[in-house]
Amino acid sequence: MNYVLPHIDKLEPYKSGIMPKDHERAIRLHLNESPYPPSPEVLAALQHTSAEVLHRYPDPQCTELRQALADFYQVESSQVFCSNGSSELIGLLFRTLIGEHRRVAIPYPSFALYENVAASYQSETIRIPTDEDFSIDIDQLMACAADVIVLVNPNAPTGLLLPASEVERLARGFDGLVVIDEAYMEFVETDESVIPLIRELPNLLVIRTFSKAYALCGGRVGYALGNSSLISAFEKGRNSYHLNTITQRLALAALKDQQYMKSNAAAVRRTRDAFSSQLAELGFTVFPSQTNFVLCTPPANSQLTAFEWMERLMEQEIYVRYFNADRLRDKLRISIGTDEQMDHVIAQFKAALNYSD
Ligand SMILES: *Cc1c(COP(=O)(O)O)cnc(C)c1O
Protein backbone atom coordinates (compact mmCIF):
# COMPACT_ATOMS: atom_id res chain seq x y z
CA MET A 1 0.00 0.00 0.00
CA ASN A 2 1.13 3.50 -0.75
CA TYR A 3 -0.31 5.96 1.74
CA VAL A 4 1.26 9.03 0.11
CA LEU A 5 -0.79 11.40 -2.03
CA PRO A 6 0.12 10.79 -5.69
CA HIS A 7 1.25 14.37 -6.43
CA ILE A 8 3.49 14.33 -3.34
CA ASP A 9 4.81 10.87 -4.10
CA LYS A 10 6.24 11.97 -7.42
CA LEU A 11 7.95 15.12 -6.05
CA GLU A 12 11.69 15.45 -5.76
CA PRO A 13 12.54 16.83 -2.30
CA TYR A 14 14.02 20.35 -2.37
CA LYS A 15 17.78 19.97 -2.73
CA SER A 16 19.63 22.22 -0.35
CA GLY A 17 23.41 22.28 -0.33
CA ILE A 18 25.28 19.44 1.36
CA MET A 19 26.32 19.78 4.98
CA PRO A 20 30.09 19.42 5.34
CA LYS A 21 31.19 16.85 7.93
CA ASP A 22 34.23 18.69 9.22
CA HIS A 23 32.74 22.00 10.29
CA GLU A 24 36.00 23.42 11.54
CA ARG A 25 37.95 23.14 8.34
CA ALA A 26 35.23 23.55 5.75
CA ILE A 27 35.09 26.75 3.74
CA ARG A 28 31.34 27.05 3.22
CA LEU A 29 30.68 28.98 0.04
CA HIS A 30 27.66 26.98 -1.11
CA LEU A 31 24.73 28.24 0.98
CA ASN A 32 25.07 32.03 0.74
CA GLU A 33 25.68 32.21 4.47
CA SER A 34 27.38 35.25 5.95
CA PRO A 35 31.09 34.78 6.63
CA TYR A 36 30.66 37.09 9.63
CA PRO A 37 28.90 36.18 12.87
CA PRO A 38 25.63 37.84 13.87
CA SER A 39 25.85 41.20 15.65
CA PRO A 40 27.35 41.25 19.17
CA GLU A 41 23.91 42.52 20.25
CA VAL A 42 22.42 39.25 19.01
CA LEU A 43 24.98 37.21 20.92
CA ALA A 44 24.27 39.28 24.05
CA ALA A 45 20.53 38.63 23.65
CA LEU A 46 21.29 34.92 23.34
CA GLN A 47 23.37 34.95 26.51
CA HIS A 48 20.67 36.77 28.44
CA THR A 49 18.13 34.11 27.57
CA SER A 50 16.87 32.37 30.69
CA ALA A 51 15.21 28.98 31.05
CA GLU A 52 11.94 30.86 31.50
CA VAL A 53 11.64 31.32 27.73
CA LEU A 54 11.57 27.56 27.30
CA HIS A 55 9.03 27.12 30.07
CA ARG A 56 6.51 29.51 28.46
CA TYR A 57 4.85 29.55 25.06
CA PRO A 58 6.18 32.16 22.65
CA ASP A 59 4.12 35.19 21.59
CA PRO A 60 2.40 33.79 18.49
CA GLN A 61 1.88 37.26 17.00
CA CYS A 62 5.55 38.21 17.39
CA THR A 63 4.26 41.58 18.60
CA GLU A 64 7.55 43.22 19.45
CA LEU A 65 9.46 42.13 16.36
CA ARG A 66 6.54 43.02 14.13
CA GLN A 67 6.27 46.48 15.59
CA ALA A 68 10.02 47.02 15.25
CA LEU A 69 9.86 46.00 11.59
CA ALA A 70 6.81 48.21 11.03
CA ASP A 71 8.65 51.18 12.57
CA PHE A 72 11.75 50.43 10.55
CA TYR A 73 9.88 50.36 7.25
CA GLN A 74 7.35 53.02 8.27
CA VAL A 75 4.31 50.82 7.76
CA GLU A 76 1.61 49.52 10.12
CA SER A 77 2.24 46.37 12.14
CA SER A 78 -0.86 44.93 10.44
CA GLN A 79 1.21 45.04 7.24
CA VAL A 80 3.97 42.82 8.66
CA PHE A 81 4.11 39.09 9.20
CA CYS A 82 7.03 37.23 10.81
CA SER A 83 7.76 33.65 9.90
CA ASN A 84 10.00 30.72 10.65
CA GLY A 85 12.42 31.56 7.86
CA SER A 86 11.09 32.85 4.59
CA SER A 87 10.73 29.20 3.56
CA GLU A 88 7.72 28.96 5.89
CA LEU A 89 6.27 32.03 4.19
CA ILE A 90 6.55 30.42 0.79
CA GLY A 91 4.45 27.52 2.06
CA LEU A 92 1.92 29.91 3.62
CA LEU A 93 1.74 31.82 0.38
CA PHE A 94 0.38 28.74 -1.33
CA ARG A 95 -1.71 27.60 1.62
CA THR A 96 -3.55 30.89 2.03
CA LEU A 97 -3.21 33.00 -1.13
CA ILE A 98 -2.40 30.91 -4.18
CA GLY A 99 -3.88 27.49 -3.56
CA GLU A 100 -4.28 24.58 -5.95
CA HIS A 101 -4.45 24.40 -9.73
CA ARG A 102 -3.25 27.95 -10.26
CA ARG A 103 -0.60 29.23 -12.64
CA VAL A 104 2.48 30.83 -11.17
CA ALA A 105 4.94 32.62 -13.47
CA ILE A 106 8.56 32.87 -12.40
CA PRO A 107 11.64 33.78 -14.42
CA TYR A 108 14.03 30.95 -15.17
CA PRO A 109 16.50 30.37 -13.66
CA SER A 110 15.49 31.46 -10.19
CA PHE A 111 15.05 30.14 -6.64
CA ALA A 112 13.86 26.56 -7.10
CA LEU A 113 11.91 26.37 -3.83
CA TYR A 114 8.95 28.21 -5.40
CA GLU A 115 8.59 25.50 -8.02
CA ASN A 116 8.84 22.73 -5.46
CA VAL A 117 6.21 24.25 -3.19
CA ALA A 118 3.93 25.00 -6.15
CA ALA A 119 4.10 21.34 -7.13
CA SER A 120 3.27 20.23 -3.60
CA TYR A 121 0.09 22.32 -3.89
CA GLN A 122 -0.64 21.00 -7.39
CA SER A 123 -0.14 24.43 -8.87
CA GLU A 124 1.67 24.90 -12.13
CA THR A 125 4.87 26.89 -12.56
CA ILE A 126 5.37 28.73 -15.82
CA ARG A 127 9.07 29.32 -16.37
CA ILE A 128 9.69 32.60 -18.17
CA PRO A 129 13.13 32.27 -19.74
CA THR A 130 15.64 35.02 -18.99
CA ASP A 131 17.81 36.40 -21.81
CA GLU A 132 21.20 34.99 -22.75
CA ASP A 133 22.82 37.17 -20.06
CA PHE A 134 20.09 36.18 -17.53
CA SER A 135 18.39 39.55 -17.64
CA ILE A 136 14.66 39.55 -16.98
CA ASP A 137 12.19 41.10 -19.40
CA ILE A 138 9.38 42.59 -17.34
CA ASP A 139 7.06 42.92 -20.34
CA GLN A 140 7.41 39.24 -21.16
CA LEU A 141 6.66 38.38 -17.54
CA MET A 142 3.59 40.62 -17.49
CA ALA A 143 2.28 39.19 -20.75
CA CYS A 144 2.15 35.61 -19.44
CA ALA A 145 -1.30 34.31 -18.63
CA ALA A 146 -0.63 33.55 -14.98
CA ASP A 147 -2.55 34.08 -11.74
CA VAL A 148 0.55 35.02 -9.76
CA ILE A 149 4.01 36.36 -10.60
CA VAL A 150 7.00 35.61 -8.40
CA LEU A 151 10.17 37.62 -8.83
CA VAL A 152 13.34 37.19 -6.82
CA ASN A 153 15.15 40.55 -6.79
CA PRO A 154 18.12 40.53 -6.88
CA ASN A 155 17.68 37.15 -8.52
CA ALA A 156 19.23 33.91 -7.30
CA PRO A 157 21.33 32.13 -8.48
CA THR A 158 22.24 34.79 -11.04
CA GLY A 159 22.83 37.76 -8.69
CA LEU A 160 21.26 40.18 -11.18
CA LEU A 161 19.21 43.15 -9.98
CA LEU A 162 16.19 44.82 -11.52
CA PRO A 163 15.73 48.49 -10.61
CA ALA A 164 12.77 49.29 -8.35
CA SER A 165 11.17 51.28 -11.17
CA GLU A 166 10.91 48.11 -13.31
CA VAL A 167 9.45 46.08 -10.45
CA GLU A 168 6.99 48.87 -9.82
CA ARG A 169 5.92 48.79 -13.47
CA LEU A 170 5.29 45.05 -13.09
CA ALA A 171 3.27 45.42 -9.90
CA ARG A 172 1.14 48.20 -11.39
CA GLY A 173 0.67 46.52 -14.74
CA PHE A 174 -0.38 43.07 -13.51
CA ASP A 175 -3.75 42.41 -11.89
CA GLY A 176 -2.84 39.26 -10.01
CA LEU A 177 -0.71 38.84 -6.93
CA VAL A 178 2.93 39.93 -7.37
CA VAL A 179 5.40 38.39 -4.93
CA ILE A 180 8.85 39.97 -4.71
CA ASP A 181 11.47 37.98 -2.79
CA GLU A 182 14.10 40.45 -1.61
CA ALA A 183 16.29 38.00 0.33
CA TYR A 184 19.47 39.72 -0.89
CA MET A 185 18.32 43.35 -1.02
CA GLU A 186 20.50 44.42 1.94
CA PHE A 187 23.56 43.83 -0.25
CA VAL A 188 22.38 46.31 -2.88
CA GLU A 189 24.11 49.62 -2.36
CA THR A 190 21.38 51.83 -3.81
CA ASP A 191 18.44 49.92 -2.21
CA GLU A 192 16.00 49.00 -4.95
CA SER A 193 13.37 47.64 -2.56
CA VAL A 194 9.69 48.04 -3.44
CA ILE A 195 8.61 47.86 0.23
CA PRO A 196 7.40 51.52 0.21
CA LEU A 197 4.86 50.54 -2.46
CA ILE A 198 2.99 48.06 -0.25
CA ARG A 199 1.02 50.95 1.28
CA GLU A 200 -0.39 51.68 -2.13
CA LEU A 201 -0.57 48.41 -4.06
CA PRO A 202 -2.87 45.72 -2.60
CA ASN A 203 -1.48 43.01 -4.92
CA LEU A 204 2.14 43.43 -3.82
CA LEU A 205 3.79 41.14 -1.30
CA VAL A 206 7.46 41.49 -0.36
CA ILE A 207 9.35 38.65 1.30
CA ARG A 208 12.51 39.32 3.31
CA THR A 209 14.79 37.29 5.55
CA PHE A 210 17.25 37.60 8.43
CA SER A 211 19.20 34.67 6.97
CA LYS A 212 21.58 36.48 4.66
CA ALA A 213 22.83 39.98 5.53
CA TYR A 214 21.89 39.61 9.23
CA ALA A 215 23.73 36.26 9.43
CA LEU A 216 20.84 34.56 11.24
CA CYS A 217 20.07 31.61 8.95
CA GLY A 218 20.40 29.19 11.87
CA GLY A 219 17.77 31.17 13.80
CA ARG A 220 15.14 30.92 11.02
CA VAL A 221 13.38 34.26 10.72
CA GLY A 222 11.76 35.73 7.66
CA TYR A 223 9.03 38.31 7.22
CA ALA A 224 6.55 39.55 4.71
CA LEU A 225 5.24 43.03 4.07
CA GLY A 226 2.02 43.68 2.25
CA ASN A 227 -1.54 44.90 2.41
CA SER A 228 -3.13 44.00 5.76
CA SER A 229 -5.62 41.65 4.06
CA LEU A 230 -2.74 39.53 2.72
CA ILE A 231 -1.04 39.62 6.11
CA SER A 232 -4.18 38.57 7.98
CA ALA A 233 -4.46 35.56 5.66
CA PHE A 234 -1.04 34.45 6.92
CA GLU A 235 -2.18 34.97 10.50
CA LYS A 236 -5.09 32.62 9.86
CA GLY A 237 -3.05 30.01 8.03
CA ARG A 238 0.05 29.78 10.20
CA ASN A 239 0.88 27.11 12.74
CA SER A 240 -0.02 28.16 16.26
CA TYR A 241 3.42 28.87 17.80
CA HIS A 242 5.58 29.01 14.75
CA LEU A 243 8.36 31.29 15.92
CA ASN A 244 10.09 30.52 19.20
CA THR A 245 10.84 33.22 21.77
CA ILE A 246 14.62 33.04 21.41
CA THR A 247 14.44 33.55 17.69
CA GLN A 248 12.09 36.51 18.04
CA ARG A 249 14.52 38.18 20.44
CA LEU A 250 17.56 37.51 18.29
CA ALA A 251 15.91 38.98 15.20
CA LEU A 252 14.90 42.07 17.18
CA ALA A 253 18.49 42.56 18.36
CA ALA A 254 19.80 42.04 14.81
CA LEU A 255 17.37 44.58 13.37
CA LYS A 256 18.38 47.18 15.93
CA ASP A 257 22.05 46.93 15.01
CA GLN A 258 21.78 48.37 11.50
CA GLN A 259 25.29 49.72 11.58
CA TYR A 260 26.79 46.26 12.05
CA MET A 261 24.71 44.72 9.28
CA LYS A 262 25.49 47.55 6.88
CA SER A 263 29.22 47.48 7.47
CA ASN A 264 29.28 43.70 6.89
CA ALA A 265 27.22 44.06 3.71
CA ALA A 266 29.70 46.68 2.50
CA ALA A 267 32.60 44.34 3.30
CA VAL A 268 30.91 41.57 1.32
CA ARG A 269 30.49 43.94 -1.64
CA ARG A 270 34.17 44.89 -1.58
CA THR A 271 35.28 41.27 -1.37
CA ARG A 272 32.82 40.27 -4.10
CA ASP A 273 34.03 42.91 -6.53
CA ALA A 274 37.68 42.04 -5.98
CA PHE A 275 36.94 38.31 -6.29
CA SER A 276 34.90 38.87 -9.46
CA SER A 277 37.78 40.78 -11.11
CA GLN A 278 40.23 38.05 -10.17
CA LEU A 279 37.94 35.40 -11.63
CA ALA A 280 37.60 37.39 -14.83
CA GLU A 281 41.40 37.66 -15.07
CA LEU A 282 41.57 33.87 -14.91
CA GLY A 283 39.22 33.63 -17.86
CA PHE A 284 35.96 32.98 -16.00
CA THR A 285 32.76 34.57 -17.23
CA VAL A 286 31.30 36.34 -14.21
CA PHE A 287 27.74 37.61 -14.08
CA PRO A 288 27.45 41.03 -12.45
CA SER A 289 26.21 40.29 -8.95
CA GLN A 290 24.48 42.60 -6.51
CA THR A 291 24.34 39.89 -3.85
CA ASN A 292 26.63 37.91 -1.54
CA PHE A 293 27.40 35.31 -4.22
CA VAL A 294 28.61 35.21 -7.81
CA LEU A 295 27.54 32.98 -10.65
CA CYS A 296 30.41 32.19 -12.99
CA THR A 297 31.37 29.98 -15.91
CA PRO A 298 34.85 28.42 -15.68
CA PRO A 299 37.10 29.09 -18.67
CA ALA A 300 36.34 26.94 -21.72
CA ASN A 301 39.96 25.81 -22.02
CA SER A 302 40.21 24.65 -18.40
CA GLN A 303 39.72 20.93 -19.18
CA LEU A 304 37.37 20.56 -16.23
CA THR A 305 33.59 20.79 -16.32
CA ALA A 306 31.84 22.95 -13.74
CA PHE A 307 30.87 19.78 -11.88
CA GLU A 308 34.50 18.63 -11.84
CA TRP A 309 35.59 22.04 -10.56
CA MET A 310 33.09 21.71 -7.74
CA GLU A 311 34.51 18.27 -6.88
CA ARG A 312 38.09 19.51 -7.14
CA LEU A 313 37.39 22.33 -4.70
CA MET A 314 35.56 19.96 -2.35
CA GLU A 315 38.73 17.85 -2.09
CA GLN A 316 40.28 21.00 -0.60
CA GLU A 317 37.27 21.37 1.73
CA ILE A 318 35.98 24.34 -0.23
CA TYR A 319 32.27 23.99 -0.87
CA VAL A 320 30.65 25.80 -3.79
CA ARG A 321 27.25 25.27 -5.37
CA TYR A 322 26.66 23.33 -8.56
CA PHE A 323 23.18 23.11 -10.09
CA ASN A 324 22.30 20.16 -12.29
CA ALA A 325 19.68 22.26 -14.08
CA ASP A 326 19.13 23.80 -17.50
CA ARG A 327 21.44 26.71 -18.31
CA LEU A 328 23.36 26.24 -15.06
CA ARG A 329 25.25 22.98 -15.69
CA ASP A 330 28.38 24.76 -16.92
CA LYS A 331 28.37 27.21 -14.01
CA LEU A 332 29.26 27.52 -10.35
CA ARG A 333 27.65 29.67 -7.72
CA ILE A 334 30.20 30.82 -5.19
CA SER A 335 29.16 32.63 -2.00
CA ILE A 336 31.32 35.49 -0.84
CA GLY A 337 33.34 34.65 2.26
CA THR A 338 36.12 36.60 3.94
CA ASP A 339 38.96 38.07 1.83
CA GLU A 340 41.19 35.29 3.11
CA GLN A 341 38.75 32.57 2.06
CA MET A 342 38.33 34.05 -1.41
CA ASP A 343 42.12 34.33 -1.84
CA HIS A 344 42.25 30.64 -1.00
CA VAL A 345 39.68 29.88 -3.71
CA ILE A 346 41.58 31.95 -6.29
CA ALA A 347 44.80 30.14 -5.33
CA GLN A 348 43.09 26.79 -5.96
CA PHE A 349 41.85 27.93 -9.36
CA LYS A 350 45.30 29.24 -10.28
CA ALA A 351 46.98 26.01 -9.24
CA ALA A 352 44.55 23.92 -11.28
CA LEU A 353 44.94 26.22 -14.28
CA ASN A 354 48.75 26.00 -13.96
CA TYR A 355 49.12 29.68 -13.36
CA SER A 356 52.50 30.90 -12.29
CA ASP A 357 52.90 34.29 -10.74
C1 LIG B 1 18.23 32.23 1.04
C2 LIG B 1 16.98 32.65 0.40
C3 LIG B 1 15.83 32.84 1.14
C4 LIG B 1 15.89 32.72 2.64
O1 LIG B 1 15.36 31.59 3.09
P1 LIG B 1 15.16 31.43 4.67
O2 LIG B 1 14.13 30.38 4.75
O3 LIG B 1 14.67 32.74 5.20
O4 LIG B 1 16.49 31.06 5.23
C5 LIG B 1 14.67 33.24 0.52
N1 LIG B 1 14.64 33.46 -0.80
C6 LIG B 1 15.73 33.30 -1.56
C7 LIG B 1 15.68 33.59 -3.01
C8 LIG B 1 16.93 32.88 -0.98
O5 LIG B 1 18.01 32.71 -1.74
Side-chain angles (χ1 to χ4, degrees):
M1 274 299 280
N2 187 346
Y3 299 101
V4 181
L5 291 170
H7 72 281
I8 299 291
D9 204 28
K10 68 172 191 242
L11 285 183
E12 287 286 329
Y14 175 72
K15 285 195 193 72
S16 45
I18 52 165
M19 293 294 155
K21 285 191 200 81
D22 187 345
H23 289 276
E24 293 296 309
R25 282 192 56 192
I27 299 184
R28 302 165 62 105
L29 306 176
H30 63 315
L31 296 169
N32 297 343
E33 294 166 336
S34 171
Y36 307 112
S39 153
E41 300 293 327
V42 173
L43 304 180
L46 186 61
Q47 258 145 24
H48 291 130
T49 299
S50 68
E52 184 71 6
V53 305
L54 297 176
H55 184 179
R56 304 299 172 197
Y57 273 110
D59 169 11
Q61 272 98 33
C62 306
T63 313
E64 235 187 309
L65 178 59
R66 249 171 112 158
Q67 190 59 55
L69 285 163
D71 294 344
F72 184 70
Y73 290 111
Q74 299 180 318
V75 297
E76 300 298 318
S77 70
S78 61
Q79 295 170 313
V80 184
F81 180 82
C82 300
S83 65
N84 194 310
S86 47
S87 321
E88 183 198 18
L89 259 173
I90 298 169
L92 272 174
L93 185 65
F94 281 89
R95 195 196 286 183
T96 66
L97 302 178
I98 302 178
E100 297 179 353
H101 308 298
R102 305 281 299 281
R103 289 159 61 86
V104 181
I106 179 163
Y108 184 87
S110 194
F111 191 39
L113 187 62
Y114 287 97
E115 268 191 47
N116 287 51
V117 179
S120 75
Y121 280 88
Q122 298 182 284
S123 267
E124 184 192 345
T125 312
I126 308 166
R127 290 180 173 187
I128 309 295
T130 54
D131 293 344
E132 189 85 335
D133 60 358
F134 293 123
S135 60
I136 292 168
D137 181 349
I138 288 291
D139 293 298
Q140 202 189 340
L141 201 53
M142 258 191 291
C144 70
D147 302 297
V148 180
I149 292 175
V150 174
L151 187 68
V152 178
N153 193 42
N155 198 12
T158 65
L160 270 63
L161 174 78
L162 274 171
S165 56
E166 280 291 279
V167 182
E168 176 169 1
R169 200 159 67 76
L170 170 72
R172 289 191 191 277
F174 183 76
D175 282 339
L177 182 68
V178 174
V179 178
I180 311 295
D181 182 334
E182 297 186 342
Y184 299 97
M185 193 55 84
E186 288 87 356
F187 296 105
V188 180
E189 207 164 2
T190 53
D191 188 3
E192 300 290 335
S193 174
V194 290
I195 289 173
L197 290 174
I198 64 133
R199 296 188 212 101
E200 201 187 325
L201 300 177
N203 64 330
L204 177 64
L205 185 82
V206 180
I207 295 181
R208 298 286 286 247
T209 181
F210 281 93
S211 292
K212 307 286 159 59
Y214 291 98
L216 267 187
C217 56
R220 315 301 305 129
V221 201
Y223 54 100
L225 296 116
N227 187 280
S228 55
S229 65
L230 303 177
I231 298 304
S232 65
F234 293 154
E235 277 299 326
K236 293 171 193 170
R238 65 168 169 75
N239 292 339
S240 27
Y241 297 100
H242 62 152
L243 213 59
N244 72 66
T245 308
I246 302 170
T247 288
Q248 293 185 38
R249 289 187 187 172
L250 302 186
L252 193 60
L255 183 70
K256 284 186 177 154
D257 199 351
Q258 283 299 306
Q259 205 191 336
Y260 180 86
M261 183 278 281
K262 283 186 178 156
S263 85
N264 283 343
V268 165
R269 281 197 295 270
R270 281 193 301 274
T271 306
R272 176 194 66 206
D273 294 346
F275 179 66
S276 298
S277 316
Q278 285 174 299
L279 282 182
E281 277 169 31
L282 295 179
F284 285 66
T285 305
V286 186
F287 295 87
S289 170
Q290 299 267 5
T291 61
N292 67 339
F293 58 84
V294 289
L295 186 70
C296 61
T297 318
N301 63 356
S302 70
Q303 319 274 331
L304 297 179
T305 63
F307 181 77
E308 288 164 345
W309 274 117
M310 185 267 294
E311 288 188 318
R312 170 79 63 107
L313 290 170
M314 200 151 64
E315 284 163 17
Q316 303 299 318
E317 316 228 28
I318 300 171
Y319 294 80
V320 300
R321 193 72 188 268
Y322 172 79
F323 296 98
N324 185 12
D326 284 353
R327 299 186 60 187
L328 299 171
R329 282 189 188 90
D330 60 341
K331 298 183 169 44
L332 298 172
R333 190 197 69 189
I334 307 176
S335 310
I336 301 304
T338 60
D339 285 326
E340 193 189 6
Q341 289 175 327
M342 303 327 278
D343 286 347
H344 197 52
V345 174
I346 291 291
Q348 294 301 325
F349 281 136
K350 281 187 173 169
L353 290 166
N354 298 315
Y355 254 70
S356 49
D357 69 357

